[in-house]
Amino acid sequence: MSILITNIKELLQVRETNITIVKGKDMKILPILKNAYVLIEHDTIVEFGSMDDFESLEADEIIDAKGKIVMPAWCDSHTHIVYAGDRTQEFVDRINGLSYEDIANRGGGILNSAETLQNTTEDSLYEQAAKRLTKVIKLGTGAIEIKSGYGLTIEAELKMLRVIKRLKHEFPISIKPTLLAAHAIPKEFTNNKNGFIDLVVNEMIPAVAKEHLADYIDVFCEKGYFDLEDTERVLKAGIKYGMTPKIHVNQFNAFGGVALGVKHNALSVDHLEELTDDDISVLKTSHTMPVALPSCSYFLSIPYTPGRQIIDAGLPLALATDYNPGSTPSGNMNFVVSTACIKMKLTPEEAINAATINGAYAMGISNNYGSICRGKKANLIITKAIPSYYHLPYAFGDNLIETVIINGQKF
Ligand code: NIG
Ligand code: FE
């Protein structure tokens, strides 16, 4: 099967050589080919170029993209899309004055989702997650990371991770699974946090590793959840079983989680709504990707990650959704890109780099995803006819996507 896309108004993120990350000033550069074509064979981008140099290539299907933009599909490196039910009541409670913290303190929040998930069958959990995944692929997501963390028991965490494995099997997009064993302290362990960490380290991580269900190990490193010592114990145990750290840090408080992540070669440190100069300095010494989640800031009305400061310090930045029932019930990367431009003052070029190639880096897959490059996976977005790619962030809330191609096939 081959597809030829012709007359492309703007082909975005075209790379002659296979770069895997963009940092600092380079994030302002988004290479573009105007009046272009792309040839896909099977699941791979095999050729692209200017229509001026076009020598009638053969293909099973030809798509005329006159007036349209073609670009790599979004790479969403941080989600929790496997969950049961929703938390709409807590949403209304927050409108009426309770904070996210108040809700967690009265036993709601993550514990509320965990209770619902524990009482949900694996099949029902799969169906609910599959609907969300279908929806986000139609919104242009072509690679995604999915975390566990609403199980909080060995059985329920395994159930979540098996659902992720089944999604991987049933869907054409690249899915990277993460074990977020230490997401909240379960009620049974309220006065015995170390007992829960023992369970995570001695039983949960080995059980997950035995079934090869997770590539990454995550911890919610935050006041009232897991401190630096807890986080380090869990990361070390995960590393011992071959899982790379990729952690939640600095959502509400900055107290050294970034440095801890860097010390353990975290692939990414995510959230960073609170960020210190020391955090920036330590990131400069690392290969760790800082990840911002602007729709979480939007939904919880908390500060936005200082993305401008991060990029201006010469660092890379990735953008992801954080799709989850409590802090971000949205998996729309188009909204994330708009919000990063509007609220974090990223330029459209920086935001698109952050949501494609750097998102792929934060999942360890930027060799194959995140740019238009010969030999890379054919995961593409074709927009509707629009005046320019600036409209992607500018026309926030509009769905400007016409076609999504995943692994060389229309989704
Ligand atoms: O990334 N902060 C921790 N975990 C999720 C939200 C968890 C929840 O409220 O369900 C997040 O925002
Ligand atoms: Fe998260």
Coordinates of all heavy atoms in Angstrom, one line a residue, residues 78 80 248 271 322, ligand 2:
H78 N 2.7 12.1 28.0 CA 2.3 12.0 29.4 C 0.7 11.9 29.4 O 0.1 13.0 29.3 CB 2.8 13.2 30.1 CG 2.4 13.2 31.6 ND1 3.3 13.6 32.6 CD2 1.3 12.9 32.3 CE1 2.8 13.6 33.8 NE2 1.5 13.2 33.6
H80 N -2.8 9.6 31.3 CA -3.4 8.6 32.2 C -4.7 8.2 31.6 O -5.8 8.3 32.3 CB -3.6 9.2 33.6 CG -2.5 10.0 34.2 ND1 -1.9 9.5 35.4 CD2 -1.9 11.1 33.9 CE1 -1.0 10.4 35.8 NE2 -1.0 11.4 34.9
H248 N 6.6 12.6 37.9 CA 5.8 13.8 38.2 C 6.5 14.6 39.3 O 6.7 14.1 40.4 CB 4.4 13.4 38.8 CG 3.4 12.9 37.9 ND1 3.5 11.7 37.3 CD2 2.3 13.5 37.4 CE1 2.4 11.5 36.5 NE2 1.7 12.6 36.6
H271 N 5.5 18.2 34.6 CA 4.7 19.2 35.3 C 5.5 20.6 35.5 O 5.3 21.4 34.7 CB 4.2 18.8 36.7 CG 2.9 18.1 36.7 ND1 1.7 18.7 36.4 CD2 2.6 16.8 36.8 CE1 0.7 17.8 36.4 NE2 1.2 16.6 36.7
D322 N -1.4 15.2 29.7 CA -1.7 14.8 31.1 C -3.2 14.2 31.2 O -3.7 14.2 32.3 CB -1.5 15.9 32.1 CG -1.4 15.4 33.5 OD1 -1.1 14.2 33.7 OD2 -1.5 16.2 34.5
Ligands
FE2 FE 0.1 13.2 35.2

